[in-house]
Protein backbone atom coordinates (compact mmCIF):
# COMPACT_ATOMS: atom_id res chain seq x y z
CA UNK A 1 0.00 0.00 0.00
CA UNK A 2 2.77 2.35 0.91
CA UNK A 3 4.52 1.65 -2.36
CA UNK A 4 1.32 2.30 -4.21
CA UNK A 5 0.80 5.65 -2.47
CA UNK A 6 4.36 6.69 -3.24
CA UNK A 7 3.90 5.81 -6.89
CA UNK A 8 0.62 7.75 -6.97
CA UNK A 9 2.28 10.82 -5.48
CA UNK A 10 5.13 10.59 -7.94
CA UNK A 11 2.67 10.50 -10.85
CA UNK A 12 0.76 13.47 -9.41
CA UNK A 13 3.94 15.49 -8.99
CA UNK A 14 4.94 14.74 -12.53
CA UNK A 15 1.55 16.04 -13.58
CA UNK A 16 2.17 19.28 -11.70
CA UNK A 17 5.53 19.71 -13.37
CA UNK A 18 4.46 19.02 -16.94
CA UNK A 19 0.83 20.06 -17.10
CA UNK A 20 0.69 23.36 -15.28
CA UNK A 21 3.93 25.03 -16.18
CA UNK A 22 3.28 28.70 -16.94
CA UNK A 23 5.01 28.87 -20.27
CA UNK A 24 4.04 25.42 -21.48
CA UNK A 25 2.74 25.70 -25.01
CA UNK A 26 0.47 22.68 -24.47
CA UNK A 27 -1.55 24.45 -21.78
CA UNK A 28 -5.27 24.97 -22.41
CA UNK A 29 -5.53 27.13 -25.57
CA UNK A 30 -7.86 29.81 -24.19
CA UNK A 31 -5.54 30.55 -21.26
CA UNK A 32 -2.36 30.35 -23.32
CA UNK A 33 -3.70 32.94 -25.72
CA UNK A 34 -4.19 35.62 -23.12
CA UNK A 35 -0.54 35.27 -22.17
CA UNK A 36 0.90 35.37 -25.63
CA UNK A 37 2.87 38.07 -27.28
CA UNK A 38 2.26 39.23 -30.84
CA UNK A 39 5.49 40.24 -32.55
CA UNK A 40 4.96 42.81 -35.28
CA UNK A 41 7.42 43.87 -37.98
CA UNK A 42 7.29 47.33 -39.54
CA UNK A 43 9.38 49.82 -41.51
CA UNK A 44 8.58 53.03 -39.66
CA UNK A 45 9.28 55.54 -42.43
CA UNK A 46 5.73 55.57 -43.68
CA UNK A 47 3.72 58.26 -41.92
CA UNK A 48 0.83 58.46 -41.18
CA UNK A 49 0.79 54.63 -41.02
CA UNK A 50 4.00 54.00 -39.09
CA UNK A 51 6.65 56.35 -37.81
CA UNK A 52 8.66 56.92 -34.66
CA UNK A 53 7.88 59.78 -32.34
CA UNK A 54 10.90 62.08 -32.54
CA UNK A 55 11.25 62.40 -28.78
CA UNK A 56 10.02 59.16 -27.28
CA UNK A 57 10.91 56.90 -30.28
CA UNK A 58 7.55 55.20 -29.73
CA UNK A 59 5.88 53.74 -32.78
CA UNK A 60 2.91 55.83 -33.87
CA UNK A 61 0.48 55.89 -36.78
CA UNK A 62 -2.71 54.27 -38.04
CA UNK A 63 -1.20 50.79 -38.55
CA UNK A 64 0.48 50.88 -35.15
CA UNK A 65 -2.72 51.88 -33.33
CA UNK A 66 -4.76 49.38 -35.31
CA UNK A 67 -2.48 46.37 -34.85
CA UNK A 68 -2.22 47.09 -31.11
CA UNK A 69 -6.01 47.29 -30.86
CA UNK A 70 -6.36 44.08 -32.90
CA UNK A 71 -3.79 42.28 -30.70
CA UNK A 72 -5.71 43.31 -27.59
CA UNK A 73 -9.05 42.34 -29.09
CA UNK A 74 -7.65 38.93 -30.11
CA UNK A 75 -6.49 38.27 -26.53
CA UNK A 76 -2.76 38.86 -26.84
CA UNK A 77 -1.34 40.26 -23.61
CA UNK A 78 1.58 41.95 -25.30
CA UNK A 79 2.24 43.50 -28.69
CA UNK A 80 5.90 44.11 -29.53
CA UNK A 81 6.92 46.17 -32.55
CA UNK A 82 10.17 45.44 -34.42
CA UNK A 83 11.79 47.94 -36.76
CA UNK A 84 13.17 46.52 -40.03
CA UNK A 85 13.76 47.34 -43.69
CA UNK A 86 10.67 47.01 -45.89
CA UNK A 87 12.35 44.35 -48.03
CA UNK A 88 13.27 42.38 -44.88
CA UNK A 89 9.68 42.01 -43.65
CA UNK A 90 8.53 39.01 -45.71
CA UNK A 91 11.78 37.08 -45.07
CA UNK A 92 11.35 37.80 -41.33
CA UNK A 93 7.96 36.04 -41.40
CA UNK A 94 9.66 33.05 -42.99
CA UNK A 95 12.32 32.82 -40.29
CA UNK A 96 9.67 33.36 -37.57
CA UNK A 97 11.40 36.47 -36.24
CA UNK A 98 8.03 38.19 -36.44
CA UNK A 99 4.42 36.96 -36.38
CA UNK A 100 2.82 39.66 -38.49
CA UNK A 101 3.71 42.50 -40.85
CA UNK A 102 1.98 45.83 -40.22
CA UNK A 103 3.65 48.16 -42.67
CA UNK A 104 1.19 49.62 -45.17
CA UNK A 105 1.74 46.49 -47.21
CA UNK A 106 -0.34 46.25 -50.36
CA UNK A 107 -2.11 42.96 -50.91
CA UNK A 108 -0.77 41.64 -54.21
CA UNK A 109 -0.93 38.34 -56.06
CA UNK A 110 2.84 38.17 -56.14
CA UNK A 111 3.17 38.55 -52.36
CA UNK A 112 0.23 36.25 -51.69
CA UNK A 113 2.37 33.43 -53.10
CA UNK A 114 4.69 33.87 -50.12
CA UNK A 115 2.46 35.11 -47.27
CA UNK A 116 -1.13 34.98 -46.07
CA UNK A 117 -2.87 38.34 -45.95
CA UNK A 118 -5.67 39.35 -43.63
CA UNK A 119 -8.66 41.15 -45.10
CA UNK A 120 -7.81 44.62 -46.40
CA UNK A 121 -8.00 47.45 -43.87
CA UNK A 122 -7.19 50.55 -45.96
CA UNK A 123 -7.66 51.53 -49.61
CA UNK A 124 -4.67 53.30 -51.10
CA UNK A 125 -3.08 53.98 -54.50
CA UNK A 126 0.18 55.12 -56.07
CA UNK A 127 1.05 58.64 -57.21
CA UNK A 128 3.94 60.47 -58.87
CA UNK A 129 5.81 63.08 -56.84
CA UNK A 130 8.04 65.65 -58.61
CA UNK A 131 9.80 68.90 -57.79
CA UNK A 132 7.47 71.88 -57.64
CA UNK A 133 9.33 73.64 -60.47
CA UNK A 134 9.07 70.64 -62.80
CA UNK A 135 6.38 71.43 -65.37
CA UNK A 136 7.43 68.79 -67.88
CA UNK A 137 6.17 65.80 -65.88
CA UNK A 138 2.40 65.86 -65.55
CA UNK A 139 1.80 62.22 -64.72
CA UNK A 140 3.13 58.68 -65.09
CA UNK A 141 2.97 58.91 -68.91
CA UNK A 142 5.72 61.56 -68.84
CA UNK A 143 8.17 59.36 -66.92
CA UNK A 144 9.59 57.53 -69.97
CA UNK A 145 13.41 57.66 -69.99
CA UNK A 146 13.38 59.58 -66.69
CA UNK A 147 15.13 58.84 -63.40
CA UNK A 148 12.55 57.42 -61.00
CA UNK A 149 13.10 56.84 -57.29
CA UNK A 150 11.14 54.45 -55.08
CA UNK A 151 11.45 52.57 -51.82
CA UNK A 152 13.01 49.15 -52.32
CA UNK A 153 10.60 46.22 -52.49
CA UNK A 154 7.46 48.36 -52.74
CA UNK A 155 4.67 48.43 -55.29
CA UNK A 156 5.97 51.90 -56.25
CA UNK A 157 9.33 50.36 -57.17
CA UNK A 158 7.59 47.63 -59.18
CA UNK A 159 5.52 50.22 -61.02
CA UNK A 160 8.68 52.20 -61.82
CA UNK A 161 10.29 49.20 -63.51
CA UNK A 162 7.36 49.08 -65.94
CA UNK A 163 8.07 52.57 -67.32
CA UNK A 164 9.88 52.25 -70.66
CA UNK A 165 13.46 53.47 -70.65
CA UNK A 166 13.29 54.66 -67.06
CA UNK A 167 16.31 54.49 -64.80
CA UNK A 168 15.02 53.20 -61.46
CA UNK A 169 16.82 54.07 -58.27
CA UNK A 170 15.86 52.14 -55.13
CA UNK A 171 16.06 53.69 -51.67
CA UNK A 172 15.92 51.99 -48.30
CA UNK A 173 13.57 54.64 -46.91
CA UNK A 174 11.23 57.16 -48.51
CA UNK A 175 12.95 60.10 -46.79
CA UNK A 176 16.17 59.30 -48.70
CA UNK A 177 14.23 59.31 -51.98
CA UNK A 178 12.69 62.68 -51.05
CA UNK A 179 16.12 64.13 -50.36
CA UNK A 180 17.41 62.88 -53.70
CA UNK A 181 14.41 64.48 -55.42
CA UNK A 182 15.14 67.77 -53.69
CA UNK A 183 18.78 67.56 -54.84
CA UNK A 184 17.56 66.79 -58.40
CA UNK A 185 19.35 63.44 -58.41
CA UNK A 186 16.06 61.90 -59.60
CA UNK A 187 13.12 63.36 -61.55
CA UNK A 188 10.25 61.69 -59.71
CA UNK A 189 9.23 59.29 -56.96
CA UNK A 190 6.43 56.74 -57.19
CA UNK A 191 4.87 56.16 -53.79
CA UNK A 192 1.61 55.69 -51.92
CA UNK A 193 -0.89 58.56 -52.13
CA UNK A 194 -1.67 59.01 -48.39
CA UNK A 195 2.05 59.00 -47.56
CA UNK A 196 2.82 61.55 -50.29
CA UNK A 197 -0.04 63.75 -49.05
CA UNK A 198 1.20 63.55 -45.46
CA UNK A 199 4.75 64.37 -46.58
CA UNK A 200 3.56 67.47 -48.49
CA UNK A 201 1.58 68.64 -45.47
CA UNK A 202 4.56 68.20 -43.15
CA UNK A 203 6.69 70.63 -45.17
CA UNK A 204 7.45 68.70 -48.36
CA UNK A 205 5.23 71.10 -50.34
CA UNK A 206 8.04 73.66 -50.14
CA UNK A 207 9.73 71.84 -52.99
CA UNK A 208 7.53 68.96 -54.14
CA UNK A 209 4.07 68.30 -55.60
CA UNK A 210 1.88 65.38 -56.70
CA UNK A 211 1.12 65.19 -60.44
CA UNK A 212 -1.38 63.22 -62.49
CA UNK A 213 -4.01 60.73 -61.51
CA UNK A 214 -3.79 58.14 -58.75
CA UNK A 215 -2.76 54.80 -60.22
CA UNK A 216 -4.73 51.62 -59.48
CA UNK A 217 -6.44 51.24 -56.13
CA UNK A 218 -4.45 49.16 -53.68
CA UNK A 219 -5.59 47.55 -50.47
CA UNK A 220 -3.34 47.30 -47.42
CA UNK A 221 -3.42 44.09 -45.41
CA UNK A 222 -1.56 42.58 -42.48
CA UNK A 223 0.55 39.59 -43.50
CA UNK A 224 1.39 36.39 -41.64
CA UNK A 225 3.35 33.27 -42.49
CA UNK A 226 1.63 30.85 -44.88
CA UNK A 227 1.70 28.14 -42.22
CA UNK A 228 -0.01 30.41 -39.70
CA UNK A 229 -3.48 30.72 -41.22
CA UNK A 230 -4.99 30.43 -37.72
CA UNK A 231 -3.39 33.71 -36.81
CA UNK A 232 -4.75 35.37 -39.97
CA UNK A 233 -8.24 34.17 -39.02
CA UNK A 234 -7.82 35.49 -35.47
CA UNK A 235 -6.68 38.89 -36.73
CA UNK A 236 -9.52 39.03 -39.25
CA UNK A 237 -12.03 38.27 -36.53
CA UNK A 238 -10.62 40.98 -34.26
CA UNK A 239 -10.53 43.51 -37.13
CA UNK A 240 -14.18 42.79 -37.96
CA UNK A 241 -15.10 43.28 -34.30
CA UNK A 242 -13.29 46.64 -34.17
CA UNK A 243 -15.02 47.69 -37.39
CA UNK A 244 -18.33 46.82 -35.80
CA UNK A 245 -17.78 48.45 -32.42
CA UNK A 246 -16.59 51.78 -33.81
CA UNK A 247 -12.96 51.50 -32.67
CA UNK A 248 -11.67 51.20 -36.26
CA UNK A 249 -13.61 54.32 -37.32
CA UNK A 250 -12.22 56.19 -34.32
CA UNK A 251 -8.62 55.38 -35.30
CA UNK A 252 -9.30 56.16 -38.95
CA UNK A 253 -10.67 59.59 -38.01
CA UNK A 254 -7.71 60.22 -35.70
CA UNK A 255 -5.20 59.77 -38.54
CA UNK A 256 -7.10 60.79 -41.66
CA UNK A 257 -9.45 63.41 -40.25
CA UNK A 258 -12.56 61.76 -41.67
CA UNK A 259 -14.58 58.57 -41.38
CA UNK A 260 -13.72 55.74 -43.79
CA UNK A 261 -15.81 55.53 -46.96
CA UNK A 262 -18.23 52.65 -46.68
N1 LIG B 1 2.06 49.97 -50.12
C1 LIG B 1 3.38 49.89 -50.66
C2 LIG B 1 3.75 48.46 -50.80
O1 LIG B 1 3.40 47.61 -50.48
C3 LIG B 1 4.42 50.63 -49.84
C4 LIG B 1 4.58 50.16 -48.45
C5 LIG B 1 5.65 50.84 -47.63
O2 LIG B 1 6.55 51.49 -48.14
N2 LIG B 1 5.61 50.71 -46.36
O3 LIG B 1 4.43 47.92 -51.22
Amino acid sequence: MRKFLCALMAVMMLGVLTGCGGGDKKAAPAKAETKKELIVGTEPGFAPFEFQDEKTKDYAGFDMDLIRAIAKQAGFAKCTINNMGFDALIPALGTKNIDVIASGMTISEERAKKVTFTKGYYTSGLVVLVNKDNNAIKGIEDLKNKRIGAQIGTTGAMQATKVPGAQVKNFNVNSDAALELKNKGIDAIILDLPVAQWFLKQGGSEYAKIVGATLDAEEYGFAVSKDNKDLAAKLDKALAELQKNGEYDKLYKKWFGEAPKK
Side-chain angles (χ1 to χ4, degrees):
M1 185 65 182
R2 222 198 211 150
K3 258 191 199 157
F4 173 74
L5 274 178
C6 276
L8 191 68
M9 272 180 67
V11 167
M12 278 168 68
M13 279 188 58
L14 207 68
V16 167
L17 288 175
T18 56
C20 309
D24 191 338
K25 287 198 182 98
K26 282 182 210 125
K31 284 241 170 88
E33 233 164 74
T34 54
K35 277 187 215 125
K36 250 180 107 186
E37 177 183 16
L38 184 70
I39 303 178
V40 179
T42 197
E43 187 283 297
F46 204 63
F49 295 90
E50 39 269 334
F51 58 97
Q52 280 179 288
D53 184 283
E54 272 174 30
K55 281 193 204 119
T56 63
K57 295 284 166 216
D58 274 351
Y59 295 98
F62 180 64
D63 286 351
M64 301 295 96
D65 281 352
L66 186 58
I67 197 69
R68 284 187 185 115
I70 286 175
K72 200 169 163 208
Q73 183 74 19
F76 289 94
K78 201 172 167 205
C79 179
T80 304
I81 312 240
N82 282 353
N83 177 346
M84 47 187 73
F86 189 77
D87 57 339
L89 291 167
I90 291 182
L93 275 185
T95 55
K96 308 265 181 253
N97 284 340
I98 57 172
D99 300 312
V100 58
I101 298 171
S103 205
M105 187 171 273
T106 301
I107 299 172
S108 75
E109 253 177 64
E110 196 61 28
R111 288 176 179 152
K113 286 179 197 151
K114 297 185 210 144
V115 302
T116 297
F117 281 104
T118 62
K119 295 242 162 56
Y121 64 84
Y122 182 89
T123 307
S124 187
L126 294 173
V127 286
V128 176
L129 192 77
V130 298
N131 278 307
K132 220 168 153 181
D133 58 7
N134 185 334
N135 294 315
I137 300 175
K138 297 191 176 66
I140 189 144
E141 57 289 348
D142 298 322
L143 290 183
K144 283 180 203 127
N145 306 317
K146 295 282 193 277
R147 300 165 303 168
I148 310 173
Q151 187 181 13
I152 191 162
T154 61
T155 47
M158 279 177 245
Q159 190 65 239
T161 60
K162 290 187 198 151
V163 178
Q167 187 190 322
V168 182
K169 220 167 155 186
N170 283 309
F171 294 87
N172 282 329
V173 287
N174 275 319
S175 55
D176 286 351
L179 199 64
E180 190 75 349
L181 182 73
K182 192 178 184 184
N183 295 333
K184 313 254 161 113
I186 48 176
D187 304 299
I189 302 173
I190 302 182
L191 78 168
D192 298 45
L193 168 72
V195 173
Q197 283 172 330
W198 183 274
F199 162 75
L200 292 179
K201 250 195 255 157
Q202 300 301 309
S205 62
E206 270 177 36
Y207 68 91
K209 64 180 177 187
I210 291 172
V211 289
T214 305
L215 313 178
D216 307 339
E218 297 191 350
E219 198 68 28
Y220 294 167
F222 301 110
V224 304
S225 164
K226 270 215 173 292
D227 57 16
N228 207 355
K229 293 211 165 66
D230 278 5
L231 178 60
K234 240 180 251 169
L235 301 179
D236 272 337
K237 183 167 171 273
L239 173 63
E241 285 161 3
L242 297 178
Q243 280 171 330
K244 213 168 156 204
N245 73 13
E247 179 75 13
Y248 172 90
D249 283 15
K250 215 170 90 193
L251 295 178
Y252 196 103
K253 252 200 194 134
K254 171 180 169 187
W255 291 104
F256 307 110
E258 55 181 11
K261 287 171 198 86
K262 300 226 161 121

